[in-house]
mmCIF file of all heavy atoms in Angstrom:
data_model
loop_
_atom_site.group_PDB
_atom_site.id
_atom_site.type_symbol
_atom_site.label_atom_id
_atom_site.label_comp_id
_atom_site.label_asym_id
_atom_site.label_seq_id
_atom_site.Cartn_x
_atom_site.Cartn_y
_atom_site.Cartn_z
ATOM 1 N N ALA A 391 -18.297 42.271 9.543
ATOM 2 C CA ALA A 391 -16.985 41.620 9.599
ATOM 3 C C ALA A 391 -16.700 41.024 10.979
ATOM 4 O O ALA A 391 -15.737 40.289 11.146
ATOM 5 C CB ALA A 391 -15.884 42.593 9.196
ATOM 6 N N GLY A 392 -17.520 41.330 11.958
ATOM 7 C CA GLY A 392 -17.348 40.715 13.272
ATOM 8 C C GLY A 392 -17.809 39.265 13.297
ATOM 9 O O GLY A 392 -17.505 38.525 14.233
ATOM 10 N N SER A 393 -18.539 38.834 12.260
ATOM 11 C CA SER A 393 -18.979 37.437 12.245
ATOM 12 C C SER A 393 -18.746 36.757 10.906
ATOM 13 O O SER A 393 -18.735 35.529 10.837
ATOM 14 C CB SER A 393 -20.456 37.334 12.614
ATOM 15 O OG SER A 393 -21.223 38.097 11.702
ATOM 16 N N LYS A 394 -18.561 37.529 9.831
ATOM 17 C CA LYS A 394 -18.403 36.928 8.500
ATOM 18 C C LYS A 394 -17.186 37.504 7.784
ATOM 19 O O LYS A 394 -16.715 38.584 8.120
ATOM 20 C CB LYS A 394 -19.645 37.256 7.630
ATOM 21 C CG LYS A 394 -20.941 36.737 8.163
ATOM 22 C CD LYS A 394 -21.361 35.463 7.483
ATOM 23 C CE LYS A 394 -22.736 35.016 7.904
ATOM 24 N NZ LYS A 394 -22.779 33.649 8.366
ATOM 25 N N GLY A 395 -16.721 36.743 6.800
ATOM 26 C CA GLY A 395 -15.681 37.288 5.929
ATOM 27 C C GLY A 395 -14.265 37.130 6.428
ATOM 28 O O GLY A 395 -13.328 37.577 5.782
ATOM 29 N N THR A 396 -14.096 36.514 7.609
ATOM 30 C CA THR A 396 -12.737 36.284 8.107
ATOM 31 C C THR A 396 -12.680 34.903 8.753
ATOM 32 O O THR A 396 -13.703 34.247 8.937
ATOM 33 C CB THR A 396 -12.319 37.300 9.192
ATOM 34 O OG1 THR A 396 -13.043 37.028 10.391
ATOM 35 C CG2 THR A 396 -12.565 38.725 8.764
ATOM 36 N N LEU A 397 -11.452 34.502 9.129
ATOM 37 C CA LEU A 397 -11.283 33.269 9.888
ATOM 38 C C LEU A 397 -10.876 33.616 11.319
ATOM 39 O O LEU A 397 -10.207 32.838 12.002
ATOM 40 C CB LEU A 397 -10.217 32.373 9.225
ATOM 41 C CG LEU A 397 -10.541 31.906 7.810
ATOM 42 C CD1 LEU A 397 -9.393 31.053 7.261
ATOM 43 C CD2 LEU A 397 -11.835 31.115 7.757
ATOM 44 N N ASP A 398 -11.271 34.803 11.778
ATOM 45 C CA ASP A 398 -10.941 35.225 13.136
ATOM 46 C C ASP A 398 -11.682 34.356 14.142
ATOM 47 O O ASP A 398 -12.740 33.795 13.852
ATOM 48 C CB ASP A 398 -11.349 36.696 13.361
ATOM 49 C CG ASP A 398 -10.455 37.642 12.577
ATOM 50 O OD1 ASP A 398 -9.425 37.194 12.039
ATOM 51 O OD2 ASP A 398 -10.801 38.841 12.515
ATOM 52 N N TYR A 399 -11.130 34.281 15.357
ATOM 53 C CA TYR A 399 -11.777 33.490 16.411
ATOM 54 C C TYR A 399 -13.170 34.049 16.704
ATOM 55 O O TYR A 399 -13.404 35.250 16.657
ATOM 56 C CB TYR A 399 -10.934 33.527 17.688
ATOM 57 C CG TYR A 399 -9.535 33.007 17.509
ATOM 58 C CD1 TYR A 399 -8.445 33.654 18.093
ATOM 59 C CD2 TYR A 399 -9.255 31.878 16.745
ATOM 60 C CE1 TYR A 399 -7.152 33.188 17.939
ATOM 61 C CE2 TYR A 399 -7.968 31.406 16.571
ATOM 62 C CZ TYR A 399 -6.923 32.065 17.173
ATOM 63 O OH TYR A 399 -5.635 31.609 17.014
ATOM 64 N N ASP A 400 -14.075 33.144 17.013
ATOM 65 C CA ASP A 400 -15.455 33.473 17.392
ATOM 66 C C ASP A 400 -16.294 33.999 16.237
ATOM 67 O O ASP A 400 -17.368 34.550 16.460
ATOM 68 C CB ASP A 400 -15.505 34.467 18.575
ATOM 69 C CG ASP A 400 -14.710 33.963 19.754
ATOM 70 O OD1 ASP A 400 -14.749 32.741 20.015
ATOM 71 O OD2 ASP A 400 -14.018 34.762 20.406
ATOM 72 N N THR A 401 -15.807 33.862 14.988
ATOM 73 C CA THR A 401 -16.659 34.233 13.855
ATOM 74 C C THR A 401 -17.314 32.971 13.302
ATOM 75 O O THR A 401 -16.937 31.850 13.637
ATOM 76 C CB THR A 401 -15.872 34.931 12.732
ATOM 77 O OG1 THR A 401 -14.892 34.031 12.206
ATOM 78 C CG2 THR A 401 -15.193 36.189 13.240
ATOM 79 N N ASP A 402 -18.315 33.176 12.409
ATOM 80 C CA ASP A 402 -19.020 32.030 11.841
ATOM 81 C C ASP A 402 -18.056 31.206 10.976
ATOM 82 O O ASP A 402 -17.285 31.757 10.191
ATOM 83 C CB ASP A 402 -20.186 32.511 10.958
ATOM 84 C CG ASP A 402 -21.261 33.220 11.775
ATOM 85 O OD1 ASP A 402 -21.206 33.127 13.030
ATOM 86 O OD2 ASP A 402 -22.137 33.861 11.176
ATOM 87 N N ALA A 403 -18.155 29.886 11.135
ATOM 88 C CA ALA A 403 -17.247 28.998 10.391
ATOM 89 C C ALA A 403 -17.766 28.753 8.977
ATOM 90 O O ALA A 403 -18.132 27.644 8.610
ATOM 91 C CB ALA A 403 -17.069 27.684 11.151
ATOM 92 N N ASP A 404 -17.806 29.828 8.170
ATOM 93 C CA ASP A 404 -18.122 29.709 6.741
ATOM 94 C C ASP A 404 -16.785 29.793 6.030
ATOM 95 O O ASP A 404 -16.150 30.841 6.027
ATOM 96 C CB ASP A 404 -18.997 30.878 6.266
ATOM 97 C CG ASP A 404 -20.365 30.918 6.941
ATOM 98 O OD1 ASP A 404 -20.724 29.918 7.607
ATOM 99 O OD2 ASP A 404 -21.056 31.942 6.807
ATOM 100 N N PHE A 405 -16.336 28.674 5.463
ATOM 101 C CA PHE A 405 -15.015 28.706 4.844
ATOM 102 C C PHE A 405 -14.921 27.759 3.661
ATOM 103 O O PHE A 405 -15.814 26.936 3.421
ATOM 104 C CB PHE A 405 -13.921 28.400 5.877
ATOM 105 C CG PHE A 405 -14.036 27.054 6.549
ATOM 106 C CD1 PHE A 405 -13.368 25.938 6.036
ATOM 107 C CD2 PHE A 405 -14.791 26.907 7.701
ATOM 108 C CE1 PHE A 405 -13.469 24.699 6.662
ATOM 109 C CE2 PHE A 405 -14.891 25.674 8.336
ATOM 110 C CZ PHE A 405 -14.231 24.568 7.812
ATOM 111 N N LEU A 406 -13.835 27.926 2.912
ATOM 112 C CA LEU A 406 -13.609 27.139 1.693
ATOM 113 C C LEU A 406 -12.267 26.447 1.778
ATOM 114 O O LEU A 406 -11.308 27.004 2.318
ATOM 115 C CB LEU A 406 -13.573 28.060 0.465
ATOM 116 C CG LEU A 406 -14.710 29.058 0.306
ATOM 117 C CD1 LEU A 406 -14.421 29.976 -0.880
ATOM 118 C CD2 LEU A 406 -16.025 28.334 0.107
ATOM 119 N N LEU A 407 -12.195 25.244 1.218
ATOM 120 C CA LEU A 407 -10.911 24.617 0.956
ATOM 121 C C LEU A 407 -10.616 24.872 -0.520
ATOM 122 O O LEU A 407 -11.473 24.641 -1.386
ATOM 123 C CB LEU A 407 -10.974 23.096 1.216
ATOM 124 C CG LEU A 407 -10.374 22.601 2.528
ATOM 125 C CD1 LEU A 407 -11.095 23.195 3.723
ATOM 126 C CD2 LEU A 407 -10.383 21.085 2.593
ATOM 127 N N LEU A 408 -9.431 25.392 -0.809
ATOM 128 C CA LEU A 408 -9.064 25.742 -2.186
ATOM 129 C C LEU A 408 -7.728 25.105 -2.510
ATOM 130 O O LEU A 408 -6.914 24.875 -1.614
ATOM 131 C CB LEU A 408 -8.910 27.269 -2.318
ATOM 132 C CG LEU A 408 -10.082 28.139 -1.896
ATOM 133 C CD1 LEU A 408 -9.586 29.512 -1.489
ATOM 134 C CD2 LEU A 408 -11.065 28.271 -3.028
ATOM 135 N N ASN A 409 -7.476 24.871 -3.807
ATOM 136 C CA ASN A 409 -6.122 24.430 -4.171
ATOM 137 C C ASN A 409 -5.266 25.670 -4.461
ATOM 138 O O ASN A 409 -5.737 26.807 -4.333
ATOM 139 C CB ASN A 409 -6.148 23.438 -5.340
ATOM 140 C CG ASN A 409 -6.615 24.077 -6.638
ATOM 141 O OD1 ASN A 409 -6.748 25.294 -6.733
ATOM 142 N ND2 ASN A 409 -6.859 23.240 -7.638
ATOM 143 N N GLN A 410 -4.005 25.432 -4.843
ATOM 144 C CA GLN A 410 -3.074 26.556 -5.020
ATOM 145 C C GLN A 410 -3.533 27.524 -6.098
ATOM 146 O O GLN A 410 -3.161 28.689 -6.097
ATOM 147 C CB GLN A 410 -1.673 26.034 -5.393
ATOM 148 C CG GLN A 410 -1.071 25.085 -4.377
ATOM 149 C CD GLN A 410 -1.068 25.664 -2.983
ATOM 150 O OE1 GLN A 410 -0.656 26.797 -2.756
ATOM 151 N NE2 GLN A 410 -1.546 24.899 -2.015
ATOM 152 N N ASP A 411 -4.347 27.033 -7.056
ATOM 153 C CA ASP A 411 -4.835 27.903 -8.123
ATOM 154 C C ASP A 411 -6.148 28.576 -7.752
ATOM 155 O O ASP A 411 -6.784 29.208 -8.587
ATOM 156 C CB ASP A 411 -5.030 27.086 -9.420
ATOM 157 C CG ASP A 411 -3.720 26.523 -9.928
ATOM 158 O OD1 ASP A 411 -2.708 27.228 -9.801
ATOM 159 O OD2 ASP A 411 -3.706 25.381 -10.421
ATOM 160 N N LEU A 412 -6.567 28.417 -6.501
ATOM 161 C CA LEU A 412 -7.807 28.991 -5.981
ATOM 162 C C LEU A 412 -9.048 28.399 -6.650
ATOM 163 O O LEU A 412 -10.051 29.096 -6.869
ATOM 164 C CB LEU A 412 -7.794 30.538 -6.098
ATOM 165 C CG LEU A 412 -6.619 31.245 -5.407
ATOM 166 C CD1 LEU A 412 -6.813 32.757 -5.422
ATOM 167 C CD2 LEU A 412 -6.411 30.761 -3.993
#
Side-chain angles (χ1 to χ4, degrees):
Chain A
S393 58
K394 299 260 186 233
T396 71
L397 298 179
D398 290 349
Y399 302 138
D400 306 321
T401 63
D402 294 348
D404 296 348
F405 60 93
L406 310 174
L407 258 62
L408 305 154
N409 67 10
Q410 302 307 311
D411 297 323
L412 303 188

